Amino acid sequence: MEAIIGIDDGNQSFSNALEGLDPSFLRENPQLVNAYTKIKWDDISSLNALISAVEQVVVKYKDPNASIKGAIEKIYDQLLGKYPLFFGYWKRFTAVEYQLFGLQKSIGTLARAVEAFPTSIELWCDYLNVLCANNPGEVDTIRRKFRTAKGLVGFQFLSHTFWDKYIEFETKHEEWENLGSIYQELVTVALHQYAKYGAAYKAYLRSGRAAFQDANVDAKLRRTQVLVNAIWPFESKIKQSFFNLVPVAHTELQNWDRYLDFIISNQQKLNFTNLFITSVFERCLIPCFYYEHFWIKYVNWLENWEELPHVVELYRKGSMMLPLNCKELRIRFLGFLKKSFRINKDYVYSLFEEAAASYMKHFPGDAFIMADYLTLLKRYQFSSSVDQTDEGIWQKQLNYTKYLETAITNYLQSKIARNIPLQEMLNDTNISIVVVELIKTTWLVLKNTMQTRKYFIFYSKNPLMRSSVTYWLTYYKFEKWCKNYTKLNKFINDLGTKIFLPTAIVNDLLEDYRSFYLANSNVMHFQSFVSSANERKEVDPILLTQFKINDPIWKPRLHQESSDWHKTREFRENGHPGIIDERPQITNLICQCKSKFFDNQPPSIPAFRNLEKINQPLKYNDYLTKEYLGISD
């Protein structure tokens, strides 16, 4: 796996935090101005330089005015909005807020910190310490914060600092029943310092303060020891547990990958809880935040047991934070929503529409997103059921085609209705997908062949369709269905000159059409075509289509009208200039025999010429050496 650092800077649209400041202040603080205006968002040293410059301003001005305070806050907001996992910057921001605004503002910043980075033990401990020290009367509120933090960080292997604070809090308030519940759960969690808590639990049970006795405490500790020993080989190799902008070492990535595979595959055998596995995934995503592989592994596991909203939340977070070149998670998100459509149609459709609109802005060339959206759009807004009449079902499909045609027309005429998501999603690449959907529905569902042909005639003139593979393949299938050889011959002739498709697609079309023509056409039609094809310089669908293979812009020329056309260098090169291929040819073709001949005896075994050359190396003309470098053999 390769490291992917940061989100594309082109997507950042930060307003200037220094705008509106007094010019004299800017002249007096060139270091701040330089660090901010020349910041490199993917360079940690540049970010550190900016924070240092901000802190120097805080030290320099004991009581700055509101504009300076606002600028400082805005700089921190921009930085932490882009990189919320920098817990060290959150700590420094809290200290600055305390100096500028006082205690309550700094507590509010810590509350924002744990909301933005909810799996940070360091931030939660700071936040809880401040609450306990400065709001001692709000016991119930603080207890709720502890319980929230327990679900987010309490199952991490090195979460003993949090548990120590939680135990201290309940001990101080002499809530012995709560303390007992903490210990009872704590001795079953695979922690680095599980033995310390086991001893404390036993002391608690002996103290006389416990309202219950736990005869299984030793058995619980032995089971916890087994869990700790099982994960220790992986935990001991984690060197970088924090977020950074430099690539994570390969050994670290490999260790995380093996760790996750181990706990997932042994979940039943070792009784790893879902909360514990979740905590490992969340810890992994701190240093490996920009590694799509781990996000995909996380959602794959989560889909098996978690409810729809929680899985969606993870998908949305990954889609929002991963760099734009990480497409797989986003594609999987759309697939997951399609799969979940029956569970909650309104909720899933709104999510899919939102995600599809966002992805099409970032990936305008990925037409499959529009195809998936149209599939769900039809199921949601134009669905039919078995209890409807045939007329009702037909009307739904007709309304669908009208909806599509209106969207296409408005886009082509630059009259997009902003309140209709489909019209907002259209671009020059994916409009062909909507056109094809309109044509297919008209042709295959409504069975309106005349209208289908009108659509083809109209949209084929549009330059946006000129290189659309989906559009022209649909056109080709339609004309094959109609067996309109005049249209098909013109289509084959226009490939590479008026219709621009990838060479591989053109090759497949040529091969397919030759086979189709041989199987479905007749001699009279072929003779009629040949008599006029030479004048129009059109490609013979039987004999000359091979010349266009690997050379779509090829056109018939006079020398190919001779009977020895198959001996020409152009034919023997088969679209690969300089490489002559002596291909075996059948000398007793079945099509040269009268069909009634087969009534008396079976056809003879094929006879070939050039068969002896099949294993010989190809003849190769080195044009570069001879013609460009001027070196003879």
Side-chain angles (χ1 to χ4, degrees):
M1 292 176 292
E2 296 181 357
I4 305 171
I5 305 302
I7 299 176
D8 186 359
D9 289 343
N11 296 319
Q12 301 300 321
S13 56
F14 295 143
S15 59
N16 187 0
L18 303 182
E19 186 177 6
L21 291 176
D22 189 90
S24 61
F25 172 82
L26 298 177
R27 287 193 299 269
E28 292 172 2
N29 298 276
Q31 186 176 358
L32 174 65
V33 175
N34 187 63
Y36 181 75
T37 56
K38 297 182 179 180
I39 188 172
K40 297 178 181 178
W41 287 105
D42 59 351
D43 184 355
I44 188 65
S45 61
S46 179
L47 301 182
N48 287 334
L50 175 61
I51 295 301
S52 297
V54 170
E55 290 175 342
Q56 289 178 17
V57 169
V58 175
V59 172
K60 182 177 180 180
Y61 298 90
K62 300 301 181 183
D63 187 20
N65 59 38
S67 298
I68 297 175
K69 291 180 179 179
I72 291 172
E73 281 194 306
K74 196 168 187 178
I75 290 173
Y76 271 108
D77 287 339
Q78 290 176 352
L79 194 156
L80 290 169
K82 182 174 176 62
Y83 298 120
L85 302 190
F86 275 133
F87 72 91
Y89 288 165
W90 280 111
K91 288 172 171 281
R92 294 165 78 169
F93 186 23
T94 302
V96 167
E97 290 282 74
Y98 180 77
Q99 290 179 264
L100 295 179
F101 299 99
L103 177 63
Q104 292 306 313
K105 194 65 178 288
S106 67
I107 294 177
T109 301
L110 276 174
R112 287 175 52 199
V114 296
E115 183 178 353
F117 188 2
T119 56
S120 172
I121 295 175
E122 294 84 355
L123 291 177
W124 269 111
C125 287
D126 283 359
Y127 183 40
L128 294 169
N129 279 331
V130 171
L131 289 178
C132 291
N134 296 281
N135 299 284
E138 299 180 5
V139 176
D140 291 339
T141 300
I142 298 173
R143 181 173 288 114
R144 285 195 295 270
K145 298 292 185 183
F146 269 110
R147 289 173 178 170
T148 300
K150 184 191 74 173
L152 294 168
V153 301
F155 296 89
Q156 295 185 18
F157 189 67
L158 298 176
S159 59
H160 49 272
T161 52
F162 161 75
W163 287 108
D164 290 344
K165 189 65 185 175
Y166 196 5
I167 291 170
E168 179 188 343
F169 172 78
E170 296 294 5
T171 302
K172 178 180 178 181
H173 293 90
E174 298 183 353
E175 292 289 346
W176 308 120
E177 185 176 349
N178 291 343
L179 184 61
S181 298
I182 291 173
Y183 278 130
Q184 199 169 26
E185 180 180 22
L186 187 51
V187 294
T188 65
V189 180
L191 300 177
H192 180 265
Q193 297 189 14
Y194 76 97
K196 179 183 75 172
Y197 296 118
Y201 185 28
K202 291 179 180 180
Y204 166 78
L205 293 173
R206 294 192 301 266
S207 66
R209 294 168 177 168
F212 62 90
Q213 290 298 316
D214 192 346
N216 298 320
V217 60
D218 290 327
K220 291 178 181 179
L221 286 170
R222 282 194 296 270
R223 179 185 170 278
T224 304
Q225 183 181 25
V226 171
L227 297 180
V228 171
N229 290 339
I231 65 176
W232 177 246
F234 305 101
E235 290 285 353
S236 61
K237 294 178 182 177
I238 298 174
K239 307 301 179 186
Q240 181 184 334
S241 59
F242 53 88
F243 172 78
N244 207 339
L245 297 182
V246 298
V248 180
H250 177 70
T251 54
E252 289 280 306
L253 297 175
Q254 193 175 53
N255 182 59
W256 279 116
D257 209 25
R258 291 174 178 173
Y259 190 7
L260 293 169
D261 287 341
F262 174 78
I263 60 176
I264 292 173
S265 60
N266 290 278
Q267 181 173 7
Q268 300 299 326
K269 179 181 178 181
L270 295 175
N271 292 319
F272 288 123
T273 65
N274 288 336
L275 287 173
F276 171 76
I277 297 178
T278 300
S279 73
V280 177
F281 270 112
E282 293 289 350
R283 285 173 58 208
C284 171
L285 288 182
I286 296 174
C288 307
F289 193 69
Y290 292 133
Y291 290 81
E292 186 182 33
H293 167 77
F294 295 106
W295 287 90
I296 293 172
K297 181 169 287 195
Y298 192 6
V299 295
N300 284 344
W301 173 77
L302 202 64
E303 284 179 19
N304 295 325
W305 70 277
E306 190 56 272
E307 295 180 356
L308 177 64
H310 293 90
V311 182
V312 166
E313 182 182 358
L314 182 61
Y315 267 119
R316 294 180 72 177
K317 181 180 178 182
S319 299
M320 181 176 63
M321 301 305 298
L322 281 171
L324 293 180
N325 55 352
C326 297
K327 292 184 180 180
E328 186 176 352
L329 181 78
R330 296 174 170 99
I331 295 171
R332 283 173 177 264
F333 185 28
L334 296 179
F336 171 76
L337 290 175
K338 287 197 300 182
K339 184 174 64 176
S340 308
F341 181 68
R342 292 181 182 273
I343 299 174
N344 189 333
K345 293 184 178 181
D346 294 336
Y347 174 64
V348 171
Y349 179 76
S350 65
L351 288 172
F352 192 97
E353 192 170 64
E354 176 189 349
S358 174
Y359 295 168
M360 277 188 268
K361 289 180 181 178
H362 295 304
F363 315 120
D366 287 353
F368 75 90
I369 301 175
M370 176 59 77
D372 287 347
Y373 173 68
L374 291 177
T375 300
L376 216 63
L377 170 69
K378 188 175 182 179
R379 291 175 62 187
Y380 183 72
Q381 294 189 17
F382 303 94
S383 61
S384 304
S385 59
V386 294
D387 57 347
Q388 287 183 286
T389 62
D390 292 344
E391 291 78 9
I393 295 174
W394 184 87
Q395 187 61 46
K396 281 271 186 151
Q397 301 306 310
L398 183 62
N399 292 340
Y400 180 54
T401 59
K402 290 180 179 178
Y403 184 84
L404 297 177
E405 186 173 13
T406 300
I408 296 167
T409 303
N410 286 355
Y411 180 79
L412 295 177
Q413 296 178 357
S414 299
K415 298 178 180 178
I416 298 174
R418 297 298 176 186
N419 60 330
I420 301 178
L422 175 59
Q423 296 187 29
E424 288 191 285
M425 295 180 194
L426 286 173
N427 58 53
D428 288 355
T429 301
N430 63 29
I431 190 173
S432 61
I433 302 298
V434 185
V435 171
V436 168
E437 179 70 10
L438 170 64
I439 290 172
K440 281 186 174 180
T441 305
T442 305
W443 169 28
L444 301 174
V445 179
L446 301 180
K447 308 295 184 182
N448 191 337
T449 305
M450 183 178 294
Q451 183 60 44
T452 302
R453 186 169 296 283
K454 288 181 180 179
Y455 282 142
F456 274 123
I457 292 172
F458 177 75
Y459 291 117
S460 294
K461 299 174 183 178
N462 194 297
L464 297 177
M465 302 298 132
R466 192 167 296 172
S467 58
S468 171
V469 173
T470 306
Y471 177 81
W472 289 112
L473 288 181
T474 305
Y475 174 78
Y476 175 64
K477 292 174 184 176
F478 173 75
E479 297 298 358
K480 279 178 64 178
W481 178 74
C482 295
K483 293 187 178 180
N484 190 329
Y485 298 106
T486 302
K487 294 282 188 181
L488 287 169
N489 290 332
K490 185 178 185 308
F491 170 70
I492 293 298
N493 198 68
D494 288 344
L495 288 174
T497 55
K498 296 180 181 179
I499 302 171
F500 304 102
L501 305 180
T503 302
I505 301 294
V506 173
N507 290 350
D508 288 343
L509 287 170
L510 294 172
E511 294 285 358
D512 182 82
Y513 182 54
R514 186 172 184 270
S515 300
F516 174 79
Y517 195 90
L518 286 169
N520 295 278
S521 187
N522 55 60
V523 174
M524 293 182 59
H525 185 278
F526 179 69
Q527 290 177 341
S528 175
F529 169 78
V530 170
S531 63
S532 59
N534 291 335
E535 298 177 4
R536 300 193 303 269
K537 293 294 183 294
E538 291 187 358
V539 177
D540 187 316
I542 297 178
L543 300 178
L544 302 182
T545 52
Q546 301 177 73
F547 288 106
K548 284 178 73 75
I549 291 179
N550 296 323
D551 186 13
I553 63 174
W554 179 88
K555 292 182 178 180
R557 290 189 290 274
L558 293 177
H559 72 274
Q560 286 157 343
E561 297 174 7
S562 65
S563 60
D564 293 333
W565 59 270
H566 60 277
K567 296 181 180 179
T568 63
R569 173 182 294 276
E570 192 168 14
F571 174 77
R572 294 163 69 193
E573 288 177 347
N574 190 26
H576 300 279
I579 302 177
I580 299 176
D581 184 11
E582 300 284 358
R583 290 171 289 179
Q585 297 177 357
I586 300 175
T587 57
N588 56 341
L589 296 173
I590 293 176
C591 63
Q592 293 176 349
C593 302
K594 295 181 180 179
S595 59
K596 65 181 180 180
F597 174 76
F598 299 131
D599 293 337
N600 302 322
Q601 62 182 11
S604 59
I605 297 175
F608 298 88
R609 63 167 168 244
N610 292 335
L611 189 61
E612 70 281 358
K613 300 179 181 180
I614 192 170
N615 291 322
Q616 294 182 4
L618 298 177
K619 297 179 181 179
Y620 173 63
N621 288 324
D622 189 354
Y623 291 123
L624 175 65
T625 301
K626 293 180 180 178
E627 299 185 10
Y628 291 91
L629 301 181
I631 302 174
S632 59
D633 293 338

